Amino acid sequence: MRMVSIQTEDFSIEHETNQLRVSTPEAGGIATFTGLVSDLNREQKIESLFLEHYPGMTEKQLEQIVDQAEQRWKLLGTRIIHRVGLLHPQDQIVFVGVSSRHRKDCFEACQFIMDYLKTHATIWKKESSEQQSEWLDARESDKAEEQKWK
Amino acid sequence: MQVLYFASIREQLGLEAEQIEFSADTSNVQALIAYLCSIHDERWSEALGDPNLLVSVNQELSSLDTGLTGTDEVAFFPPVTGG
């Protein structure tokens, strides 16, 4: 059971976790990660974040990431939501939830999906502070996290 | 073929998408970039000459030597920053 959604609407962590729980009754656990808009980046106070993506390709890439995760771990359910559009500090950006029989599979697959999502999904962030608006550069540290799984 | 631009590249060019007639000049990604630079102003050579530029063909990450046909969807964009 998997679900991938790119959407402007907010999501409910409780609803998503429940969906995983009821749709995979044989699961022994669920691991989730929720990414938020931080109010500070490089010492600058963030006013808003605009997220753009490549419709079609983003979904395809997320499906491929779930395919890879399913080859590495025994997963029962996966739900990925990524928001796009205009967001503000403390808003939820991304949700990854994984259910499996064992916690190790849940934890590792959840982290793997997030690390790959950050370096592969065709999504871009533009950050606005009081001083300026700029497209963010890809971080070397994110690339390093992804490389750990090779 | 359909050519798409995203994020900072789209803003730099002031263009989201354009339709390009397929020809011998657009038979692979590298040739297409050269062709686009020849029909547009210097913003194209600047944006498409960026060493960090990424390209996809039919929504799969591709490289400069990827071959093209008239029905392909080609997109240019910067490194991704989601999550």
Side-chain angles (χ1 to χ4, degrees), chain A residues 33-87:
Chain A
F33 174 83
T34 306
L36 307 174
V37 181
S38 164
D39 72 344
L40 208 61
N41 188 14
R42 290 167 298 176
E43 309 303 316
Q44 281 198 3
K45 198 162 165 49
I46 303 311
E47 293 197 327
S48 65
L49 197 61
F50 176 75
L51 291 103
E52 173 175 331
H53 85 116
Y54 183 170
M57 180 159 176
T58 312
E59 291 86 343
K60 218 191 246 187
Q61 295 213 300
L62 292 176
E63 292 281 354
Q64 286 171 3
I65 294 170
V66 177
D67 287 342
Q68 290 181 53
E70 285 181 345
Q71 283 166 18
R72 284 173 170 241
W73 295 280
K74 289 196 176 108
L75 306 183
L76 295 168
T78 307
R79 294 179 80 81
I80 304 177
I81 299 175
H82 205 299
R83 293 179 69 194
V84 291
L86 188 65
L87 299 178

Side-chain angles (χ1 to χ4, degrees), chain A residues 83-137:
Chain A
R83 293 179 69 194
V84 291
L86 188 65
L87 299 178
H88 296 90
Q90 294 180 317
D91 281 349
Q92 306 185 121
I93 303 182
V94 59
F95 175 89
V96 174
V98 176
S99 71
S100 174
R101 290 194 66 80
H102 305 292
R103 71 176 183 283
K104 192 169 182 285
D105 292 314
C106 293
F107 280 133
E108 290 185 2
C110 188
Q111 189 170 2
F112 170 89
I113 290 170
M114 265 314 298
D115 288 347
Y116 266 66
L117 180 156
K118 279 187 103 65
T119 48
H120 288 78
T122 41
I123 302 171
W124 302 273
K125 286 184 186 137
K126 188 179 192 181
E127 197 174 74
S128 294
S129 66
E130 260 183 18
Q131 291 77 27
Q132 58 183 347
S133 258
E134 61 177 353
W135 290 97
L136 296 183
D137 287 328

